[in-house]
């Protein structure tokens, strides 16, 4: 490499350079994921600083073509005849950044993980190296969570692995030797977890309910606010390092494979209108993991320290996979700081006796749109359109159809898929829920109203000479200018006899009654019409029939 060496004053300088170390790793090893070698060389020369960080503890990769894992293999190799992927698992566990990996939406979880195990990954390599790396990374995170369910902090596990590498540089070490040291350190045996995890091709299905975050109040908190301004101009959370919250949830694993759920708390700082994490000064992240075995349920409450507390179902078929409280004003206070884990039966999540519930994810729900017009995006790209909308905001543009769809929301009704449907007023769409009534009598019918979807009308005005193609674009909130009443109109159809009812949903989140009805044995259909205020976003989630005769 004479051309490269000419840039350095001595051989020692060249050998110590980031670039040479990256290139040396590339030529000394066959790249695990079969990335095009020319691309690797190009990225090494153009941006070597993105490919390398000195020391395992500070590794943070932001480049899709990173070859830093090969340097780990040059310094130490973990060997196992039974689990040939163990060295890649070890090095992946030390990656601290997700920037290297493909960004997938939550709706891709089942497609990515079901039917494929880590063992399959190394027996039959995938054509897409980035997809392979992402799969391995997320499954490795799952392994770390499984190892930490007995109150072994994940941060300590990662620190142990980093230390193990440092102490065994330039050696090939048997996995059994590493596992022995791990057992001595934590009292946890990898072999209790690794075999089943390595060949697992399934994803768990979690029913989730009752997620709640409560600030634990102390006497000195009386009369205080949740936040204050610092003299630096940053918006900070008062005493955030010591703020404690009681985070609770009810969860049931409705599958035949074990899964792990996690609580996470982290400290953050807000500057101006944007937020930044405290990574420069060492962001504090605390994670607590709980094993939910197949066919079992738990009610869990934990005390977490930090400004944000979340609950996540990790690798699962859930929508969403992460739960958090929107806004500080939605967090209540409590004086209780009792942690507990209680067993829960599946019946806790099922309708009570005498109730029938049809959710928008059930087969007895229909979202019907009469539109058959092909949208421009489908003509340009024939990819199938996603069933789900992310977020809670809709943009309404003149002449552009707002397609009725489903929206993911942690505050929607559901078991493992917390979603609701939406359509625009005047769209000629409708929603239908159909239930089979098995017992004649009086029923109360209720509709579940999810949090409102904020609508903004996009307005364009041509600027300058007509036909110049220069426009100014503005967004006007439709939701903020709503009238005093925001109603939705339903039709209760019993054997062909129809009755229209309306409910004001402006201030409602949760169940709202449509009234009492005398129902015979047979089908009862509830229809949400497209009637409403101009630009109103109509919401449909679950409908509940409650038998009232014996009450």
């Amino acid at each position: 490499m004479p051309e490269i060496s000419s840039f350095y004053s001595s051989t020692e300088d060249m050998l110590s350079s980031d670039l040479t170390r990256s290139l040396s790793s590339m030529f000394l090893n066959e790249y695990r994921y079969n990335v095009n070698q020319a691309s690797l060389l190009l990225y090494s020369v153009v941006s070597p600083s993105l490919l390398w960080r000195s020391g395992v503890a500070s590794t943070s990769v932001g480049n899709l073509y990173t070859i830093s894992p090969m340097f780990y293999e040059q310094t130490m190799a973990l060997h196992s005849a039974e689990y040939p992927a163990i060295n890649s698992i070890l090095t992946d566990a030390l990656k601290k950044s997700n920037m290297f990996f493909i960004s997938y939406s939550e709706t891709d979880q089942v497609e990515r993980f079901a039917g494929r195990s880590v063992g399959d990954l190394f027996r039959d390599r995938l054509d897409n190296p980035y997809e392979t790396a992402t799969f391995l990374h997320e499954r490795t995170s799952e392994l770390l969570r499984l190892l930490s369910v007995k109150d072994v902090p994940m941060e300590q596990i990662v620190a142990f692995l980093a230390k193990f590498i440092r102490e065994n540089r330039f050696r090939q070490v048997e996995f059994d030797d590493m596992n022995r040291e791990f057992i001595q350190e934590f009292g946890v045996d990898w072999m209790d977890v690794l075999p089943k995890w390595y060949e697992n091709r399934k994803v768990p299905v979690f029913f989730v309910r009752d997620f709640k975050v409560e600030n634990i109040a102390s006497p000195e908190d009386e009369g205080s606010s949740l936040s204050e301004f610092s003299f630096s101009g940053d918006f900070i959370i008062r005493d955030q390092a010591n703020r404690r919250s009681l985070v609770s949830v009810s969860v049931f694993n409705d599958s035949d494979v074990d899964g792990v759920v996690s609580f996470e708390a982290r400290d953050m700082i807000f500057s101006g209108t944007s937020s930044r994490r405290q990574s420069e000064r060492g962001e504090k992240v605390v994670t607590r993991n709980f094993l939910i075995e197949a066919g079992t349920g738990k009610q869990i409450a934990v005390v977490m320290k930090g400004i944000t507390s979340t609950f996540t179902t990790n690798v699962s078929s859930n929508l969403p996979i992460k739960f958090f409280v929107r806004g500080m004003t939605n967090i209540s206070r409590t004086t209780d700081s009792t942690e507990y884990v209680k067993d829960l039966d599946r019946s806790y999540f099922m309708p009570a006796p005498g109730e029938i519930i049809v959710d928008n994810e059930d087969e007895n729900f229909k979202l019907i749109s009469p539109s058959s017009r092909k949208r421009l995006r489908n003509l340009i790209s024939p990819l199938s359109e996603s069933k789900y909308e992310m977020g809670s905001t809709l943009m309404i543009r003149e002449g552009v159809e707002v397609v009725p769809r489903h929206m993911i929301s942690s505050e929607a009704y559901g078991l493992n898929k917390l979603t609701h449907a939406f359509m625009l007023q005047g769209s000629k769409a409708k929603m239908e829920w159909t239930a089979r009534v098995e017992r004649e009598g009086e029923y109360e019918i209720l509709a579940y109203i999810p949090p409102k979807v904020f609508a903004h009308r996009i307005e364009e005005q041509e600027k300058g000479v007509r036909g110049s193609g220069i426009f100014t674009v503005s967004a006007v909130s439709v939701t903020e200018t709503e009238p005093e009443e925001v109603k939705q109109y339903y039709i209760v159809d019993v054997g062909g006899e129809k009755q229209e009812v309306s409910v004001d949903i402006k201030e409602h989140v949760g169940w709202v009654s449509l009234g009492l009805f005398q129902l015979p044995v047979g089908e009862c259909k509830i229809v949400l019409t497209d009637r409403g205020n101009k630009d109103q976003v109509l919401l449909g989630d679950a409908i509940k029939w409650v038998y009232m005769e014996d009450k």
Side-chain angles (χ1 to χ4, degrees):
M1 305 190 336
E3 292 81 6
I4 295 179
S5 62
S6 64
F7 288 95
Y8 299 91
S9 58
S10 66
T11 304
E12 289 77 17
D13 288 341
M14 183 185 75
L15 292 175
S16 65
S17 71
D18 290 351
L19 175 59
T20 304
R21 281 181 288 187
S22 298
L23 291 175
S24 297
S25 294
M26 183 184 70
F27 288 115
L28 288 171
N29 294 271
E30 176 187 358
Y31 188 59
R32 180 172 306 283
Y33 302 122
N34 196 31
V35 175
N36 180 278
Q37 297 296 305
S39 298
L40 269 176
L41 181 58
L42 174 63
Y43 272 79
S44 297
V45 172
V46 171
S47 187
S49 62
L50 291 176
L51 298 172
W52 180 258
R53 296 290 185 273
S54 299
V56 171
S58 63
T59 299
S60 178
V61 184
N63 193 299
L64 292 176
Y65 296 90
T66 178
I67 55 178
S68 60
M70 295 192 301
F71 184 77
Y72 301 150
E73 295 174 6
Q74 284 300 298
T75 58
M76 193 215 67
L78 195 62
H79 175 260
S80 172
E82 191 173 1
Y83 302 102
I86 195 66
N87 195 66
S88 294
I89 293 166
L90 170 68
T91 56
D92 189 274
L94 298 173
K95 290 185 174 75
K96 289 193 174 183
S97 172
N98 290 323
M99 293 176 64
F100 168 75
F101 304 101
I102 300 174
S103 176
Y104 287 102
S105 70
E106 295 175 351
T107 57
D108 300 315
Q109 286 259 52
V110 174
E111 181 181 342
R112 281 185 290 144
F113 292 106
R116 190 165 58 187
S117 70
V118 174
D120 295 334
L121 191 70
F122 285 82
R123 285 187 290 266
D124 306 307
R125 295 180 181 180
L126 301 178
D127 292 334
N128 188 327
Y130 320 126
E131 184 182 345
T132 301
T134 304
F135 179 94
L136 177 63
H137 181 69
E138 296 194 34
R139 280 296 194 189
T140 299
S141 297
E142 181 185 43
L143 174 62
L144 295 179
R145 287 189 288 267
L146 286 166
L147 292 169
S148 69
V149 294
K150 295 182 179 179
D151 284 334
V152 179
M154 289 175 60
E155 297 78 13
Q156 291 186 21
I157 295 176
V158 173
F160 169 88
L161 297 176
K163 180 177 179 237
F164 187 82
I165 286 181
R166 289 196 303 270
E167 293 177 349
N168 292 277
R169 280 184 175 144
F170 308 110
R171 292 180 55 200
Q172 177 170 293
V173 182
E174 291 299 316
F175 165 72
D176 291 340
D177 295 335
M178 187 276 288
N179 191 30
R180 261 192 302 274
E181 289 191 27
F182 193 86
I183 295 172
Q184 291 175 357
E185 181 85 14
F186 301 112
V188 177
D189 189 342
W190 279 56
M191 293 308 295
D192 291 341
V193 174
L194 188 62
K196 185 187 292 188
W197 170 85
Y198 195 80
E199 296 298 344
N200 177 37
R201 296 184 178 89
K202 299 179 179 179
V203 294
V205 178
F206 294 113
F207 296 165
V208 179
R209 183 179 290 179
D210 308 328
F211 172 69
K212 185 164 59 173
V213 178
E214 299 172 284
N215 283 327
I216 299 174
S218 58
E220 55 269 24
D221 287 332
E222 290 300 322
S224 66
S225 62
L226 290 176
S227 60
E228 66 180 9
F229 285 93
S230 70
F231 289 108
S232 65
D234 289 340
F235 179 67
I236 64 172
I237 303 302
R238 185 182 60 82
D239 199 18
Q240 60 177 316
N242 297 313
R243 181 167 296 283
R244 299 191 305 157
S245 299
L246 186 68
V247 189
S248 56
V249 74
S250 301
V251 59
F252 184 87
N253 186 346
D254 196 49
S255 67
D256 58 359
V257 59
D258 296 347
V260 178
V261 297
S262 304
F263 296 85
E264 185 178 89
R266 56 179 74 221
D267 290 334
M268 301 180 73
I269 185 169
F270 297 82
S271 180
T273 58
S274 63
S275 66
R276 67 177 187 273
R277 293 179 178 174
Q278 292 177 286
S279 56
E280 301 87 355
R281 290 174 282 177
E283 179 187 34
K284 185 179 180 182
V285 181
V286 177
T287 304
R288 295 184 63 177
N289 302 298
F290 292 84
L291 177 67
I292 310 295
E293 296 179 340
T296 69
K298 302 289 182 185
Q299 188 177 37
I300 308 170
V302 295
V303 174
M304 305 294 288
K305 283 187 178 182
I307 188 52
T308 62
S309 297
T310 59
F311 169 77
T312 176
T313 58
N314 300 309
V315 176
S316 68
S317 66
N318 285 61
L319 291 176
I321 61 170
K322 182 165 285 190
F323 295 76
F324 58 92
V325 175
R326 297 178 185 275
M328 297 295 296
T329 57
N330 293 330
I331 301 178
S332 59
R333 290 196 177 195
T334 182
T335 56
D336 186 10
S337 59
T338 306
E339 295 192 337
Y340 57 81
V341 179
K342 301 176 183 178
D343 291 336
L344 268 186
D345 190 75
R346 189 177 189 273
S347 60
Y348 178 82
F349 298 86
M350 297 295 105
E355 292 184 356
I356 305 169
I357 298 179
V358 177
D359 187 34
N360 66 295
E361 291 286 346
D362 296 338
E363 60 181 10
N364 287 337
F365 170 82
K366 293 180 181 179
L367 176 56
I368 303 170
S369 176
S371 175
S372 60
R373 289 179 293 169
K374 291 186 177 181
R375 290 175 293 281
L376 179 61
R377 80 167 108 177
N378 290 343
L379 295 174
I380 297 173
S381 176
L383 297 176
S384 60
E385 192 173 74
S386 172
K387 175 183 177 181
Y388 298 101
E389 183 82 18
M390 306 296 290
S392 58
T393 303
L394 283 182
M395 297 298 177
I396 303 172
R397 187 187 297 268
E398 191 68 35
V400 178
E401 180 184 8
V402 176
V403 182
R405 291 168 71 188
H406 295 255
M407 182 170 284
I408 300 170
S409 170
S410 61
E411 296 179 79
Y413 179 87
L415 293 174
N416 71 303
K417 288 183 169 58
L418 276 60
T419 71
H420 64 82
F422 69 87
M423 61 187 183
L424 202 60
Q425 173 271 339
S427 62
K428 298 183 180 179
K430 63 181 179 178
M431 303 182 198
E432 293 182 354
W433 296 259
T434 304
R436 173 74 186 177
V437 177
E438 300 291 350
R439 181 166 49 170
E440 182 180 357
E442 186 178 54
Y443 287 79
E444 182 179 20
I445 301 178
L446 304 99
Y448 192 91
I449 307 300
K452 69 170 61 177
V453 173
F454 294 89
H456 297 270
R457 177 165 286 281
I458 303 298
E459 296 181 352
E460 293 182 348
Q461 290 184 338
E462 192 167 7
K463 188 177 181 181
V465 181
R466 183 178 179 84
S468 64
I470 302 175
F471 294 87
T472 59
V473 180
S474 61
V476 179
S477 173
V478 175
T479 312
E480 291 180 1
T481 58
E482 288 175 342
E484 290 185 5
E485 287 188 330
V486 178
K487 289 187 175 182
Q488 292 195 164
Y489 296 84
Y490 297 83
I491 295 175
V492 180
D493 186 342
V494 183
E497 294 187 9
K498 300 178 181 180
Q499 178 181 347
E500 186 179 74
V501 297
S502 64
V503 290
D504 184 4
I505 67 163
K506 185 169 184 176
E507 303 299 332
H508 283 287
V509 174
W511 294 109
V512 59
S513 179
L514 302 184
L516 297 174
F517 300 87
Q518 194 69 28
L519 302 181
V521 174
E523 280 193 352
C524 177
K525 182 184 294 184
I526 309 299
V527 179
L528 175 61
T529 72
D530 69 340
R531 183 179 168 190
N533 302 321
K534 179 176 172 55
D535 292 334
Q536 180 180 338
V537 182
L538 303 163
L539 307 175
D541 196 334
I543 298 290
K544 177 163 63 174
W545 290 256
V546 182
Y547 183 70
M548 302 292 291
E549 190 167 280
D550 56 356
K551 295 185 179 180

